[in-house]
Amino acid sequence: MSDSKQLTAVQRADLRTVAAMIVPESLEYKVPGADDAVIQADMLATLGRDTALVAQALDHLAQLAGKPLAELDEAGRDAVALEFRKRGGAAAATLVRVVLQCYYRDDRVLRSLGLELRAPFPKGHVLPDGDWSLLDPVRARGGTLRGASR
Amino acid sequence: MKNDPVDVLIIGAGASGAAIAWSLADTKMHILCLDQGGWMNPAEYPSTGRDWEAKFYGEWSSSPNVRKRPEDYPINDDNSPIKVVNFNAVGGSTVMYTAHWPRLHPSDFKVKTLDGVADDWPIDYDALTPFFEENDRMMGVSGLSGDPLSPLSHPPMPQQPLGLSGPLIGKAMNELGWHWWPSDTTVATTDYEGRARCINLGHCTPACAQGAKASTDITYWPHAIRAGVELKTHCRVREILTNEQGMASGVVYYDKDGVEQFQPAEVVIIACNGVGTPRLLLNSVSGRFPNGLANSSGLVGKNLMFHPYAQVYGYVKEPTDSNRAPPTCLWSKEFYDTDLSRGFVRGYGIQFGRGAGPVFEAVASEQKGILPWGKDHHRVFRKLNGHRLAMSAICEDLPEEHNRVTLDPVLKDSHGIPAPKIDYTISANSRKMMDHGLARGREILEAAGATDICINDPIPWGGWHLLGTARMGTDPARSVVNEWGRSHDVKNLFIVDGSIFVTSGGVNPTSTIQALALYIADQMKQRLANLFD
């Protein structure tokens, strides 16, 4: 297992490949894949406390593949992915989470989803108050409070 | 280093510590509170940044074992299907909670009498009524009075909007003929006592940057400090010492520089909740108290109750509130009371969830296997994201001595203090209750038109409610503190947090914890002349 603070070049290459396996580019939805250079740069810059587990997951992937993931054909990659997801444990879960948390904060992806490109604070959101007459049947049924003295 | 003695020393500045500090301040005694955490800075809360969701998996995780802030202590919960979650700071876990604000019901105080299980509390609901009301004013509660199946409350602010998710849930519950009602919450829906009203940041659980969600650092503490209470932060208490009379003489703690200090006190009040409190008592060993302080009953650390959460969620065609609203807005008490035809005793409350943000949705759905890798990922994600509805059955956990907090023989915190170890199993009664909740949850979601229904059984990182490990009672052989929170063994030692619960009810406990703290403060004030008799 690698425990360095940085991923190696081989690990970075496999990270790009597996990220695209998880979330590929889509022309239909006009979004990049998770192997996009900007998204990859975000992942590498914010790995932080996840670095060791992500490196462990990538080492596991490399072991399953026997060579750089990118050199496997599609069927080979699918087989590796299946095994990785089945037996990868916390490290695999961390790797997938890192990919998804960086992907789903990318401006292009959020725009495609119809989401605003901002932090929740300070603007917040507006909620409809809703139809409170929906409570009428609950009021009509009433009820008693068990064990109450009054 | 020895400090000047104080009249009252409170350990822990969270929900209960803040409440009792404020209440006792009018006695004009010298009151000091020590907390292992510090003041939080809302400008640094997750919802102020674009990476707001990612932080919940790291430095803002609800688990201290993941979060690992310097203020946290590790907890060995390997031998429990439910992991302990908490927060350590001024405000304690009120900084990081959903702000859902039900109270225990009157029936929860007499489960032995009504249902023949566990034990009755030594006090009843009516004893706490004025303190529930006082606490609701201090914390600032929003809600709708008049729920036919909940204790009467008088929230000073109107309820949260139904939003997009609320009507979907309400219609489904009406179709089934089941009770539902807008939750009391500590989310301010109007400007209130210096707090700005909720603007629906959505990501409320890991702290509210707007300050609309009540946490005691912005409710009780400013009042308590203005009234003269002293609060020292980044001070971690190692043990409570006793004198030759068997009374608490003060505490040994590590200050913010890691220097060991002794703080003498006339009265010591513990407010560290259901894991921190037994940990401290068990670490306070002496010749007179070889099994830990206040532990002549042998019950310190035992009877841990969590509330197993059985969660069901699914996806509707209509858009839901997703991350654009406080996470909870409605509750149901349809299955709260005992009905033996269900196959179990006691019951559960239901807490409805409005939805989730995109990162949480992607991560959770991938883990559940409903969000695929590859080219179909985008289509499926668009079907799921912003369409989630959820419900959780908050199951009443009954006290069992084998569910317990002990000291881990190996694991220690950053000051070398032995860490807590949790041994916990879900009982057969709770298991049946959870199964019932899962089945009803599926019916509710199907009535709402949801598909792709998933469950969390239990929610693994759902150990928010830490109860019962220093229970109250009138019999010193069967309880740790008496009916007004004083230790049976050490007459100047009080406990005011969730550890004194006798039973757990089927609702979030913080409202009741704080009402208990105010009640105990009131009892102490009435007995000041003979507090140690």
Side-chain angles (χ1 to χ4, degrees):
Chain A
M1 173 189 151
S2 167
D3 60 358
S4 69
K5 296 287 183 194
Q6 303 279 326
L7 300 185
T8 66
V10 171
Q11 288 168 334
R12 288 199 300 272
D14 279 348
L15 176 63
R16 260 194 314 278
T17 306
V18 74
M21 291 165 63
I22 298 169
V23 193
E25 180 184 14
S26 170
L27 297 176
E28 181 184 358
Y29 295 103
K30 299 184 176 59
V31 286
D35 58 339
D36 173 84
V38 173
I39 297 170
Q40 285 289 305
D42 184 19
M43 283 182 215
L44 295 174
T46 58
L47 265 182
R49 62 169 72 199
D50 294 322
T51 304
L53 276 176
V54 168
Q56 183 185 337
L58 291 166
D59 289 348
H60 181 208
L61 270 174
Q63 186 187 17
L64 291 171
K67 55 181 165 180
L69 268 179
E71 293 179 14
L72 291 179
D73 60 18
E74 193 173 334
R77 283 190 215 172
D78 287 347
V80 165
L82 194 66
E83 185 67 12
F84 177 67
R85 295 174 81 183
K86 196 190 299 182
R87 303 196 191 283
T94 302
L95 169 61
V96 174
R97 190 251 300 159
V98 163
V99 169
L100 293 172
Q101 76 187 20
C102 292
Y103 186 77
Y104 283 107
R105 66 184 180 212
D106 179 82
D107 286 358
R108 296 158 294 175
V109 176
L110 292 180
R111 208 175 279 123
S112 163
L113 291 166
L115 301 175
E116 294 178 273
L117 312 180
R118 63 175 175 87
F121 184 83
K123 188 178 171 190
H125 304 92
V126 176
L127 285 188
D129 193 43
D131 176 9
W132 289 106
S133 71
L134 283 168
L135 272 180
D136 290 349
V138 184
R139 287 194 172 98
R141 272 195 306 277
T144 56
L145 207 55
R146 186 182 187 221
S149 59
R150 56 179 183 272
Chain B
M1 186 182 292
K2 184 176 177 181
N3 296 280
D4 292 334
V6 297
D7 297 317
V8 178
L9 175 66
I10 301 169
I11 307 165
S16 60
I20 198 165
W22 170 78
S23 182
L24 289 178
D26 61 19
T27 63
K28 306 301 179 191
M29 291 189 290
H30 184 182
I31 301 169
L32 169 66
C33 179
L34 301 177
D35 195 279
Q36 63 195 325
W39 290 95
M40 299 305 295
N41 179 2
E44 297 171 354
Y45 285 172
S47 60
T48 61
R50 285 284 300 274
D51 57 350
W52 54 280
E53 285 194 282
K55 286 188 172 174
F56 202 52
Y57 299 101
E59 68 204 85
W60 280 90
S61 168
S62 55
S63 166
N65 293 339
V66 175
R67 198 169 56 228
K68 294 181 178 170
R69 296 171 72 239
E71 295 82 359
D72 293 318
Y73 57 89
I75 299 171
N76 179 353
D77 51 16
D78 292 346
N79 191 33
S80 172
I82 299 174
K83 309 303 178 189
V84 175
V85 294
N86 66 12
F87 200 73
N88 298 301
V90 176
S93 296
T94 62
V95 173
M96 184 181 274
Y97 74 140
T98 62
H100 204 64
W101 206 246
R103 308 170 176 180
L104 285 190
H105 287 209
S107 58
D108 292 324
F109 293 84
K110 33 192 169 186
V111 300
K112 181 78 169 177
T113 299
L114 290 171
D115 293 321
V117 294
D119 288 298
D120 288 350
W121 290 52
I123 58 172
D124 62 15
Y125 178 87
D126 292 343
L128 294 184
T129 301
F131 306 104
F132 277 123
E133 297 293 319
E134 183 172 45
N135 190 51
D136 280 4
R137 286 191 298 274
M138 288 300 294
M139 290 294 279
V141 173
S142 61
L144 178 65
S145 195
D147 181 350
L149 291 188
S150 295
L152 181 63
S153 64
H154 303 91
M157 287 176 277
Q159 73 273 22
Q160 290 180 36
L162 279 171
L164 300 174
S165 301
L168 299 171
I169 295 163
K171 286 174 188 170
M173 295 299 276
N174 286 348
E175 185 181 320
L176 293 163
W178 290 346
H179 169 265
W180 63 283
W181 199 260
S183 313
D184 285 1
T185 73
T186 52
V187 174
T189 52
T190 61
D191 293 348
Y192 186 83
E193 299 280 326
R195 280 159 56 202
R197 70 183 183 281
C198 176
I199 53 172
N200 303 301
L201 300 179
H203 205 50
C204 315
T205 301
C208 177
Q210 170 81 345
K213 185 181 83 170
S215 48
T216 60
D217 56 329
I218 60 171
T219 58
Y220 277 107
W221 274 115
H223 292 285
I225 289 169
R226 273 199 298 276
V229 177
E230 186 183 0
L231 171 57
K232 287 186 180 175
T233 59
H234 296 107
C235 294
R236 177 171 282 156
V237 175
R238 185 183 75 199
E239 62 182 311
I240 299 166
L241 300 187
T242 50
N243 59 24
E244 54 274 18
Q245 286 79 42
M247 302 281 274
S249 57
V251 304
V252 177
Y253 71 95
Y254 296 100
D255 69 15
K256 61 183 171 49
D257 299 316
V259 176
E260 183 179 317
Q261 306 240 13
F262 176 66
Q263 176 59 59
E266 297 298 324
V267 173
V268 174
I269 298 174
I270 310 177
C272 306
N273 220 4
V275 170
T277 288
R279 178 199 185 202
L280 176 59
L281 291 171
L282 294 172
N283 270 318
S284 301
V285 172
S286 62
R288 185 189 285 259
F289 300 103
N291 299 316
L293 197 59
N295 197 22
S296 64
S297 65
L299 292 175
V300 169
K302 293 181 179 172
N303 297 304
L304 173 67
M305 297 174 283
F306 269 138
H307 285 145
Y309 270 72
Q311 186 183 54
V312 189
Y313 62 92
Y315 300 87
V316 292
K317 286 182 182 157
E318 300 89 340
T320 60
D321 293 316
S322 181
N323 60 296
R324 295 181 290 273
T328 62
C329 66
L330 303 174
W331 65 36
S332 171
K333 307 291 181 67
E334 182 68 27
F335 306 105
Y336 198 79
D337 291 325
T338 294
D339 177 346
L340 292 177
S341 70
R342 297 176 189 142
F344 55 87
V345 70
R346 306 298 299 159
Y348 55 88
I350 294 175
Q351 174 178 313
F352 292 99
R354 294 183 191 257
V359 169
F360 181 88
E361 188 61 72
V363 172
S365 296
E366 196 279 338
Q367 286 176 354
K368 286 289 184 195
I370 60 172
L371 178 62
W373 291 21
K375 65 179 180 183
D376 209 25
H377 178 96
H378 300 285
R379 181 191 66 78
V380 174
F381 186 72
R382 279 156 180 76
K383 184 180 149 202
L384 302 177
N385 187 52
H387 294 273
R388 176 189 285 232
L389 280 183
M391 66 75 73
S392 295
I394 307 173
C395 298
E396 174 164 354
D397 225 358
L398 290 169
E400 298 176 287
E401 290 191 17
H402 62 87
N403 289 333
R404 63 193 187 275
V405 178
T406 55
L407 297 178
D408 191 279
V410 178
L411 191 65
K412 292 181 170 55
D413 68 20
S414 57
H415 290 95
I417 305 170
K421 178 177 185 293
I422 310 297
D423 291 283
Y424 175 88
T425 55
I426 293 172
S427 72
N429 191 66
S430 293
R431 181 64 264 163
K432 289 176 187 168
M433 200 183 303
M434 294 168 74
D435 289 342
H436 188 273
L438 292 171
R440 300 296 80 73
R442 186 176 285 275
E443 289 171 30
I444 294 166
L445 289 169
E446 286 174 352
T451 58
D452 295 301
I453 289 174
C454 301
I455 64 169
N456 286 311
D457 176 30
I459 295 178
W461 275 271
W464 293 104
H465 306 156
L466 312 172
L467 308 169
T469 50
R471 65 201 323 233
M472 66 187 330
T474 53
D475 180 357
R478 295 294 307 148
S479 55
V480 176
V481 298
N482 69 8
E483 65 276 20
W484 44 283
R486 192 182 73 178
S487 159
H488 291 300
D489 301 347
V490 184
K491 296 197 183 305
N492 63 342
L493 178 68
F494 292 78
I495 305 175
V496 297
D497 55 56
S499 61
I500 64 175
F501 275 42
V502 180
T503 54
S504 66
V507 292
N508 315 56
T510 309
S511 169
T512 306
I513 289 172
Q514 290 187 303
L516 268 171
L518 295 176
Y519 159 79
I520 292 170
D522 185 66
Q523 293 290 311
M524 291 172 74
K525 286 188 277 190
Q526 290 183 36
R527 292 172 159 89
L528 276 184
N530 53 357
L531 193 60
F532 307 143
D533 288 352

